[in-house]
Structures are given as structure tokens and as C-alpha cells.
Amino acid sequence: MFRFLLKTLIVAGILFFGIIIGFQEANHGLLKMKGYADENFTGAFTVEEAANGEYEATILGETVTSHDLEGKKKILEEMNNYNFFTDIAKKVSNLISNFVTNLFPS
């Protein structure tokens, strides 16, 4: 089961990376077709060094900085860690385990 999950995650990661590369290639194709560079057409994924030495990444036009990520991390830590779907999954897992145990007693 673990190997299947690992393979699935690796394939999903490769496909996501391929999509980002496809966006970048489409951007280059648009620039080539247009014949000149336009400020409105930016890369799908760019990384630039800011004046203060930190790196800023731009993904599909949205700027992401380390301060943004730290702020989001603090917000997530402050939130209650209760996850409805995790709770439901645990209950379903226990239900199935109990059913199989009762169906096939040792």
C-alpha cells in the first residue's frame, strides 16, 4: 500500500511539474507568435532575488515570499487542528475494521 501511495505521489508530482513547464512553453509560443515582448505576458514560474537578499517567487502571476508563507504557517498553527474529513475517515476505518474482524474472527 505504501509503495502504491509513493508511486502515485511521484507520478502526480511529475505531472504537476509537466503542467508548469507546459504553461511556460505556451508563454514562449505566444511571445514568438506575437513577435514582440509584452509586459502583460510573464512567465508561469519565476524566481528573483529582492534588494534585501531574499528570494521572491512568482507562480502564475501571484507573488509568494517567505514572509507570506511564515504568516500562513502561524495562522494554521493558531487554528484549531480539528479536521472534519480526518475524523470521518477514522470513523469509517474503525467501522470497516470492526466489520471485518467480526466477519472473520480468529
Side-chain angles (χ1 to χ4, degrees), residues 8-57:
T8 302
L9 290 176
I10 289 172
V11 168
I14 290 170
L15 290 174
F16 178 73
F17 187 68
I19 289 170
I20 296 297
I21 290 174
F23 284 152
Q24 192 71 32
E25 287 299 315
N27 182 39
H28 289 302
L30 287 173
L31 289 175
K32 188 175 179 182
M33 183 178 67
K34 193 170 188 180
Y36 62 92
D38 189 358
E39 297 296 322
N40 294 331
F41 290 128
T42 59
F45 180 77
T46 58
V47 177
E48 297 175 355
E49 187 173 1
N52 57 2
E54 293 185 7
Y55 290 98
E56 291 183 354

Side-chain angles (χ1 to χ4, degrees), residues 28-101:
H28 289 302
L30 287 173
L31 289 175
K32 188 175 179 182
M33 183 178 67
K34 193 170 188 180
Y36 62 92
D38 189 358
E39 297 296 322
N40 294 331
F41 290 128
T42 59
F45 180 77
T46 58
V47 177
E48 297 175 355
E49 187 173 1
N52 57 2
E54 293 185 7
Y55 290 98
E56 291 183 354
T58 306
I59 300 173
L60 298 176
E62 296 289 326
T63 303
V64 179
T65 62
S66 61
H67 296 294
D68 294 340
L69 296 177
E70 290 172 5
K72 289 178 182 179
K73 183 178 177 182
K74 287 180 184 178
I75 290 171
L76 287 174
E77 288 174 355
E78 292 173 359
M79 289 176 52
N80 190 2
N81 290 334
Y82 177 74
N83 188 345
F84 175 74
F85 295 109
T86 302
D87 190 40
I88 295 294
K90 286 180 183 178
K91 288 180 181 178
V92 169
S93 173
N94 287 335
L95 180 70
I96 292 172
S97 295
N98 291 335
F99 176 73
V100 171
T101 303

